Amino acid sequence: MHMRNQLKESLKTPVREWFKGKIIRHDHFHDLVDIDNALNSVPEHLRIEDRRRYTKSCFGHFLMMHREIHFSAGIVHRLLLRELHHDGPEDEMRFLLGKHSVRFSKVEFCLITGLKFGVIPDTARYDMVENGIHERYFQGRDIEFEELRAVLRIGIFVEQYDAVKLCLLFMLNWILMGVDERDKVPVWQWRLVEDLDAFDAFPWGAHVYRRSIYCFKHALDGRRERFEQRQQERGADVHTTETYNIYGLPHALLIFAFEVIPELGNKKCGIRRAISELPPPRILKWELSQRPWGRKLDGIFTERMFARRELVPTSVEMAQPYYEGIYLGGSLYDTDVSDIPSHVPEHERRRSAGPIDMEGAYS
């Protein structure tokens, strides 16, 4: 109990300041169907090879995810409220779960996502390929991601691997990075994707984690103050829940909670079940067929809860190519990775394409 009391003093959000929250997330996993449909739209004489090449790519395993996996803002919000100040690496997080400090780091992110880590190279060195997909489909213009998605949905592809390259850029930015639909596809990515082997070799885990960890650590910045301000303006009985954005890949936090809190896997909770026959990474092993009620989560997130302090890789996971570079590259915390801070007020926030996943979460 003494240890827990000491840890409670290190909470970034003191218990007395906890609030009900709703999360708008931007990792659009429901749009995996656009990738499937695009690959199915490839001309018949190219279709089998395009499907094979995408499936074996660095992002191909995400097509094996359970398509009805629901996001639980209730779990992620409770996790973020329990974030601790800590003396560890700046690109990691610690959470007070039960009596212990539990680590979320690039190791956990790697084991969950199956994305490769390593030293991020200088992206300015990639050369533009003449008559590449950027020129063929967009005349070399700066395009927003909604235009890229529109081309995928039209499904008219000219050459072998065109659909693969466009799907990889869509998967990277729209689903894994959680960008806004009005953001532009970076020029260096147009260049890199023309060499599919080089694209696969890029340490996308480090790239996505760098943005995600920044967004996770700042998701609640200023939210308590804004919550109190709105209660004063609208009345405490009217404004009972604060809404905020999480960019990056918050699904990684959700799977992390599944992995470190065994009680979430108790069938009596009716939350989700493990799909054990699938290979690594761990994001493929979970199914959340229904969102858990707040009362059920309140019964789990207590001072008596048991939680694993970190994820330990198995021998099979340590042998995976994506795990090889996990300890290379130094700190991945960068304050200049998110063009849209996660604490942007609602009235200043840009629109988000498709259905917004807004779910209630309670402290």
Side-chain angles (χ1 to χ4, degrees):
M1 182 62 71
H2 178 66
M3 180 182 295
R4 177 178 171 82
N5 289 336
Q6 284 186 319
L7 289 173
K8 285 179 71 173
E9 294 176 1
S10 297
L11 283 167
K12 291 179 66 174
T13 306
V15 175
R16 64 181 180 278
E17 296 182 5
W18 286 4
F19 58 93
K20 293 181 180 180
K22 288 185 178 180
I23 292 175
I24 302 175
R25 64 182 178 89
H26 298 264
D27 55 350
H28 304 85
F29 274 104
H30 53 274
D31 285 335
L32 281 171
V33 66
D34 287 330
I35 294 177
D36 255 336
N37 291 340
L39 294 173
N40 289 335
S41 299
V42 172
E44 188 173 355
H45 66 290
L46 306 175
R47 187 179 304 153
I48 294 178
E49 173 58 16
D50 267 29
R51 169 71 68 170
R52 182 202 67 81
R53 185 61 184 84
Y54 186 87
T55 301
K56 67 168 287 191
S57 75
C58 53
F59 302 150
H61 59 278
F62 289 106
L63 290 182
M64 299 172 65
M65 287 180 62
H66 192 276
R67 296 305 174 85
E68 295 185 3
I69 184 170
H70 292 286
F71 184 77
S72 172
I75 293 174
V76 174
H77 182 64
R78 284 170 174 79
L79 206 59
L80 292 175
L81 287 175
R82 290 163 172 80
E83 185 188 355
L84 296 165
H85 293 288
H86 66 93
D87 297 326
E90 194 175 17
D91 64 347
E92 297 182 4
M93 300 175 77
R94 300 288 189 275
F95 300 101
L96 176 57
L97 299 178
K99 299 178 181 179
H100 302 295
S101 171
V102 178
R103 182 188 74 178
F104 180 80
S105 71
K106 60 185 179 181
V107 172
E108 283 73 23
F109 191 85
C110 179
L111 294 175
I112 289 166
T113 64
L115 295 173
K116 181 180 179 181
F117 277 73
V119 179
I120 298 177
D122 178 11
T123 57
R125 65 185 177 89
Y126 301 119
D127 297 324
M128 183 63 76
V129 176
E130 187 174 350
N131 195 34
I133 57 169
H134 190 198
E135 186 175 332
R136 279 201 298 278
Y137 292 89
F138 305 103
Q139 298 76 50
R141 297 179 292 105
D142 285 344
I143 68 154
E144 299 175 349
F145 284 102
E146 58 183 343
E147 295 181 71
L148 175 57
R149 185 174 58 170
V151 168
L152 289 183
R153 289 182 170 179
I154 291 171
I156 299 176
F157 305 105
V158 180
E159 297 185 9
Q160 187 86 70
Y161 303 138
D162 280 3
V164 175
K165 295 171 183 178
L166 293 170
C167 286
L168 287 172
L169 293 178
F170 181 77
M171 180 74 200
L172 168 62
N173 293 284
W174 185 245
I175 297 178
L176 299 178
M177 295 285 283
V179 300
D180 187 88
E181 65 173 348
R182 297 183 185 181
D183 287 342
K184 303 291 194 299
V185 181
V187 172
W188 67 270
Q189 291 180 15
W190 287 119
R191 298 173 177 177
L192 178 58
V193 80
E194 292 295 344
D195 184 340
L196 289 174
D197 290 338
F199 190 94
D200 285 340
F202 191 92
W204 293 116
H207 182 72
V208 176
Y209 181 75
R210 182 173 62 176
R211 173 180 171 91
S212 296
I213 197 66
Y214 173 85
C215 293
F216 298 166
K217 289 169 76 84
H218 293 278
L220 297 185
D221 284 3
R223 280 299 159 192
R224 177 66 196 185
E225 292 79 2
R226 188 156 184 84
F227 177 67
E228 293 176 347
Q229 177 186 346
R230 287 176 172 175
Q231 282 195 323
Q232 292 178 358
E233 295 171 351
R234 305 173 183 176
D237 57 334
V238 175
H239 188 75
T240 59
T241 307
E242 182 67 11
T243 301
Y244 61 95
N245 289 274
I246 299 184
Y247 294 90
L249 188 56
H251 249 88
L253 280 180
L254 180 64
I255 303 301
F256 167 74
F258 292 171
E259 290 281 348
V260 299
I261 306 173
E263 193 174 354
L264 285 175
N266 189 328
K267 291 183 179 180
K268 294 180 180 179
C269 299
I271 296 177
R272 81 283 176 269
R273 62 181 176 84
I275 307 173
S276 58
E277 66 271 15
L278 290 177
R282 301 190 188 195
I283 197 169
L284 304 183
K285 296 179 177 292
W286 294 102
E287 175 185 339
L288 179 59
S289 57
Q290 65 183 45
R291 297 185 179 98
W293 289 97
R295 290 181 181 177
K296 288 184 178 180
L297 294 179
D298 287 338
I300 295 173
F301 282 80
T302 67
E303 295 186 0
R304 299 182 302 278
M305 72 185 299
F306 170 78
R308 300 182 177 95
R309 298 192 185 190
E310 59 186 37
L311 297 187
V312 178
T314 65
S315 58
V316 173
E317 289 173 321
M318 287 190 288
Q320 298 300 315
Y322 58 77
Y323 192 77
E324 293 175 357
I326 190 63
Y327 294 111
L328 302 177
S331 175
L332 291 171
Y333 188 75
D334 188 342
T335 59
D336 190 28
V337 298
S338 178
D339 57 342
I340 312 173
S342 56
H343 53 276
V344 170
E346 277 184 89
H347 68 282
E348 297 177 7
R349 196 171 53 236
R350 294 187 287 179
R351 61 193 176 95
S352 177
I356 293 177
D357 188 359
M358 184 183 296
E359 307 166 52
Y362 302 92
S363 61

